[in-house]
Amino acid sequence: MEQNYSFSDIEAKWQTRWNEQQLYKVTANPDKPKLYILEMFPYPSGKIHMGHVRNYSIGDVVARFKMMQGFNVLHPMGWDSFGLPAENAAIKHKQHPAQWTRNNIAYMKNQLKQLGFSYDWDREVATCDRLYYKWQQWLFLKIYEKGLLYKKKSIVNWCDECNTSLANEQIEGDKCWRGHTSIGQRELEQWHMRVTDYADELLACCDSLEKGWPERVLTMQRNWIGKSYGTSVLFPLADGSGDLEIFTTRPDTLFGATFMVLAPEHPMARSLCAGTPHEPAVLEFVNKVGLQEKAVRTDDATEKEGVFTGKYAINPLTNEQIPIWIANFVLMEYGTGAIMSVPTHDQRDFDFAKKYGLPLRVVIQPQGETLSAEEMTAAFVEDGFLVNSGEFNGLPNRDAIQKITEHVAQKGIGKATVNYRLRDWGISRQRYWGNPIPMIYCDDCGTVPVPEKDLPVILPEDFEFSSHAGNPLTKMPEFFNVPCPKCGKPARRETDTMDTFVDSSWYYMRYTCPDYDKGPLDPESVNYWMTVDQYIGGIEHAILHLLYSRFFTKVLRDLGLVKFDEPFSNLLTQGMVVAPTFYRDLPGDKKEWINQGDIDIATDERGVPVSATLKADGLPVIIGATEKMSKSKNNGVDPQSQIDKFGADATRLFILFAAPPEKDLNWNDQAAEGSFRFVTRMWRLVYTTLPDIQGVQVGEIDHAALPKAVRDLRRKTHSTIKKVTEDLDGRFHFNTAISAVMELLNEINGVVLPESGADRDIAARVLREAVEAMVFLMSPFTPHVCEELWEVLGHTKSIFTEKWIAFDAEAAKAEEILIVVQVNGKVRSKLTVAADASEDEIRQGALTDERVVAFMEGKTPKKVIVVPGKLINIVI
Ligand code: ANZ
Ligand code: ZN
């Protein structure tokens, strides 16, 4: 009767059935509470990787569990399908980006289906679909009308390899977000969204997210917004030709400002020294720093460099002339692009002053100490009391911050100001494969929005995509030559496309109404389904994507399109999938990275590789660090190979079992096989118990009246249900939930039913209950095999339409018994302990019992006698 566990047949069978029954299709339903479970949509790069499998497996468990708990669950999937890699790949493979993208989507969609995720595929959205980008263009126009979009010439970060501009957020260290190192700067006209208009609200709302978002992500968001309270002060130029405005967070140190520094990009940097002997040196310096990257420039480790402008300003409080310098560590984007330098109390200024021999003056001193400028080896950055500061001497410096700000305000030369690190979002990209910006430039009428009736501006796809660098739209007169919508004269269409982060800023709302064509969002649907109750994705999107989505939500709200303030109520950032790396040294300090699949690995008892040799020739390879799976280190494991070998269920199970979702998951081939063995054991167990439990009705069971052995099994069943339910409800303790079911399986495995009679009847009912619970509890993790076993057990409806299994709290409790405690043979107390408590536990319990302690009067017992299940006697 027992059948082999043939995962490929079972998985295909259920995928087809779920599809036919439209099991995961949802519509608004007033009878159930709604729940929106969302995973970050993938970029269709070709095939799914382990990171995707992890992300989506986590989401699928939550979605299925909640569905069975009776929620109306929205669980959609789509494609972040515009973007540069499509163009690069197209150039490489001589295939049109559109075709390349659509092929990848088809392939990856099939892979996701093979993994059996519970998506409502009717809601699939691809950002490169005409309907989607049409409504995004419409949004662009509305945002423009609202004054939140503007064009400005700006110096942009430019990646030569991507051949496009990048937002500040898309630069990490000295690399672009795609890992290229060839970044520089260019001046371009770019469309910008006024994110800074929402800086305060974005910051304030961080507090409301505290309950559902990881603290780490909120901190990153807060730092990115970077609100800082300070003071702006005007320093007159010594020659009377104007003022220089600075921003400082430390006005208390104003009397100690002994020089000033401008950013190289500051407009005055060039003008101050124009025509003077200082000009050539200044220009040379400005050009040199212009090529340096901002992240490097402000890094503490970077050498501070500068040049004197030859000009002086006047410190408005000391009336001294102080020199004006230009230096790399001051950025134009922050504050006013000019600072007052206080070398005694700021380390950067200190380093700079020492290097160029600039004067120092102490203005803050710790109590009871006298700092001397000559002897200082580092800036004094702690709190203290003011000195050398005229009428402010003796004030604690914290108080002086306010006092001096008031003072400069009274004099009309300064005021309290708030500064943000956050910049407006430059969204223009000089690329083809993106959403065309719906704007037209006319010589007479200026910038003219594309009229709504002409939307969408269609991205032309029927042309030969050749390998020419840059944006092919700029070479297509049929695209960019258009009559001006206002005056009808020849005009020129914008050829830049939108940053793909615009696409991903609202896709999750579009899932609620993917086919809607009267606007971007059907008000009823979007307000019914949103907000996203649980968002799951990688930490790499902790800043960019989440901040832009939050910004977009607020803009859409202010446009009257949605009725909520924040998009994602709860956020889970999953850890990375990491794996050991293996390599051989090659001549010239190079390494050849070798894939796990090509080597034999010897591991220690914890599964950690200790030595490795090449399968092909037995030669040793070096074991490198354990790192995020990546192409460059060749340490990736292709999910497809796992699915083919072990099936979707076992692949998912391993991923969910190997580590808690927030932690990094270390890939380990043996453990992946272990998951497969577990699924097989569960399968077999159902078949071996089937003759005993087939057709048996579990019915009402009087737990207390059960014979001991049967009662123990039932307790295990119910305590396991309780454990799994608690591990899944509002938490993501998948690994401990799975181990609990593994324990239950072991317990069931040992059960032998009595030959016949009433005892056998009740035992069979309890056994059936246990087997069903096991299958039920595993179903969110390994849905296919559980559906199959559910059917084998005689059920005719999908397990996922069943109500989540309830537990009998009484039965789940560990059984307790009463133990009599004697001291020197006299009963002194009674102790309640678990029925299966060990002698040690009973002894511990008795010796710490309040009444017993009192009778022992601090003496140590000579002897302790335990009669299991009955009494304990302490002899003193
Ligand atoms: C004088 C001073 C004295 C400063 C002192 C600090 C300590 P946050 O907190 O990040 O807002 N600063 C201002 N604009 C700058 C720019 N464009 N590029 C580089 N540095 C700039 O930092 C504000 C402080 O950073 C300001 O306060 C200014 O230095 C510097 F004992 O002014 B301070
Ligand atoms: Zn015109």
Side-chain angles (χ1 to χ4, degrees), residues 626-686:
T626 293
E627 289 181 43
K628 177 173 181 174
M629 286 186 175
S630 77
K631 279 209 186 88
S632 61
K633 296 282 167 72
N634 201 7
N635 65 336
V637 175
D638 182 1
Q640 194 61 49
S641 70
Q642 299 296 307
I643 301 170
D644 295 345
K645 206 153 128 205
F646 301 121
D649 282 336
T651 302
R652 296 166 49 129
L653 183 62
F654 166 67
I655 287 228
L656 296 162
F657 183 55
E662 322 78 50
K663 297 268 162 59
D664 285 353
L665 184 160
N666 199 342
W667 187 267
N668 169 330
D669 274 341
Q670 274 99 358
E673 259 184 81
S675 293
F676 178 72
R677 278 198 301 274
F678 172 70
V679 178
T680 315
R681 283 182 69 202
M682 176 165 71
W683 171 269
R684 270 204 228 113
L685 187 58
V686 171

Side-chain angles (χ1 to χ4, degrees), residues 228 246-250 253 263 298 329-342 345-346 348-349 419:
S228 94
I246 61 103
F247 171 74
T248 177
T249 45
R250 297 290 307 276
T253 64
T298 47
F329 67 90
V330 178
L331 297 180
M332 193 57 221
E333 291 78 33
Y334 193 70
T336 61
I339 66 167
M340 65 169 195
S341 278
V342 186
H345 304 294
D346 180 283
R348 289 176 308 181
D349 297 350
N419 236 299

Side-chain angles (χ1 to χ4, degrees), residues 410-513:
Q410 261 161 30
K411 289 181 69 170
I413 54 161
K415 60 174 190 299
T417 20
V418 173
N419 236 299
Y420 295 93
R421 206 180 92 92
L422 185 70
R423 302 287 96 188
D424 280 342
W425 175 16
I427 61 149
S428 300
R429 294 293 177 272
Q430 296 69 46
R431 300 302 315 187
Y432 158 71
W433 190 236
N435 192 351
I437 291 176
M439 284 290 176
I440 291 166
Y441 306 108
C442 167
D443 284 342
D444 291 348
C445 313
T447 302
V448 183
V450 172
E452 223 176 290
K453 64 169 176 40
D454 294 343
L455 295 184
V457 175
I458 291 171
L459 185 67
E461 291 188 15
D462 53 343
F463 68 96
E464 197 68 33
F465 193 86
S466 70
S467 59
H468 50 222
N471 178 356
L473 294 178
T474 59
K475 299 177 187 79
M476 271 183 232
E478 66 279 21
F479 176 76
F480 61 71
N481 279 336
V482 282
C484 167
K486 266 195 186 154
C487 70
K489 287 201 200 114
R492 190 183 160 93
R493 194 188 282 294
E494 172 71 84
T495 52
D496 281 354
T497 54
M498 295 184 215
D499 181 4
T500 54
F501 278 99
V502 181
D503 308 348
S504 54
S505 289
W506 70 290
Y507 77 100
Y508 48 89
M509 300 197 216
R510 184 72 187 171
Y511 282 144
T512 67
C513 51

Side-chain angles (χ1 to χ4, degrees), residues 776-790:
F776 203 98
L777 296 174
M778 283 308 292
S779 65
F781 306 102
T782 54
H784 310 88
V785 66
C786 292
E787 271 283 34
E788 178 69 18
L789 293 174
W790 195 244

